[in-house]
């Protein structure tokens, strides 16, 4: 049986471990940037409609919160795009029956699948699981910079893409 002093020391040790773990987790979450932009395409030469293809290299879901353009002004019209085939999110996907456009704040990007998982899904999926993700931005003015605000592990971050 532990004495009262030994019990206090053990509790202080456990409490210290919890605090150190929480600080390490928070530091990791603040330093990592799991949102990868794998490319972008414009629909017209004026760059008023842009597609940005996105991948989650982390191990938890990414929630897209907002998209702004240029000097962080809200985009005139932005959608979260999911492709249920091997087609990347890029110009022309709006004509695909295997693409879904939803509200920008409804977008969740799960961690990236392995090549083997993608092949298996393409073989057996029948269009039920999205394979590629991105955003479509339509703006009144030419788009030069895209700012994607997202949440990862409870921390809000912004990814800036210069086109």
């Amino acid at each position: 049986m532990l004495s009262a002093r030994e019990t206090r020391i053990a509790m202080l040790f456990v409490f210290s471990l919890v605090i150190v773990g929480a600080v390490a987790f928070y530091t990791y979450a603040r330093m990592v940037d799991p949102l990868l932009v794998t490319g972008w395409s414009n629909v017209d030469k004026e760059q008023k409609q842009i597609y940005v293809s996105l991948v989650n290299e982390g191990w938890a879901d990414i929630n897209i919160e907002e998209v702004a353009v240029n000097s962080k002004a809200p985009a005139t019209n932005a959608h979260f795009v999911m492709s249920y085939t091997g087609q990347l999110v890029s110009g022309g996907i709006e004509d695909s029956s295997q693409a879904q456009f939803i509200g920008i704040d409804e977008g969740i990007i799960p961690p990236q699948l392995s090549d083997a998982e993608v092949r298996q899904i393409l073989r057996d999926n029948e269009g039920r699981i999205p394979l590629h993700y991105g955003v479509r931005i339509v703006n009144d003015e030419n788009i030069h910079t895209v700012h994607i605000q997202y949440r990862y592990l409870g921390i809000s971050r912004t990814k800036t893409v210069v086109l």
Side-chain angles (χ1 to χ4, degrees):
M1 182 119 187
L2 295 177
S3 68
R5 181 172 189 269
E6 290 171 332
T7 303
R8 281 192 301 266
I9 290 173
M11 289 179 64
L12 182 61
F13 178 73
V14 169
F15 180 73
S16 297
L17 283 178
V18 168
I19 294 296
V20 168
V23 168
F25 176 78
Y26 181 78
T27 302
Y28 166 78
R30 290 294 299 166
M31 293 179 64
V32 70
D33 183 9
L35 187 62
L36 176 67
V37 174
T38 58
W40 64 272
S41 65
N42 57 318
V43 175
D44 54 19
K45 291 182 182 179
E46 295 179 339
Q47 289 189 215
K48 291 185 179 181
Q49 183 173 332
I50 301 289
Y51 285 87
V52 180
S53 184
L54 303 170
V55 171
N56 177 357
E57 292 188 315
W59 46 271
D61 289 347
I62 290 177
N63 297 24
I64 303 294
E65 296 178 327
E66 183 179 71
V67 174
V69 296
N70 300 335
S71 61
K72 295 201 175 183
T76 305
N77 188 353
H79 287 93
F80 184 76
V81 185
M82 296 177 288
S83 171
Y84 290 83
T85 66
Q87 182 179 1
L88 296 174
V89 173
S90 62
I93 196 167
E94 64 273 2
D95 298 328
S96 173
S97 64
Q98 294 295 309
Q100 182 179 10
F101 292 75
I102 60 175
I104 200 69
D105 59 345
E106 298 172 34
I108 296 175
I109 305 174
Q112 184 177 19
L113 300 171
S114 70
D115 290 341
E117 289 171 319
V118 169
R119 283 191 298 276
Q120 181 70 31
I121 289 170
L122 284 172
R123 192 170 37 248
D124 303 336
N125 182 20
E126 298 177 5
R128 292 185 310 262
I129 300 172
L131 296 174
H132 298 288
Y133 302 87
V135 293
R136 177 181 69 175
I137 305 148
V138 180
N139 201 48
D140 293 334
E141 300 175 3
N142 287 349
I143 302 168
H144 304 289
T145 308
V146 176
H147 307 277
I148 303 169
Q149 184 176 337
Y150 67 95
R151 186 169 294 279
Y152 181 70
L153 296 176
I155 297 174
S156 197
R157 308 183 60 102
T158 301
K159 179 73 153 191
T160 300
V161 183
V162 178
L163 308 177

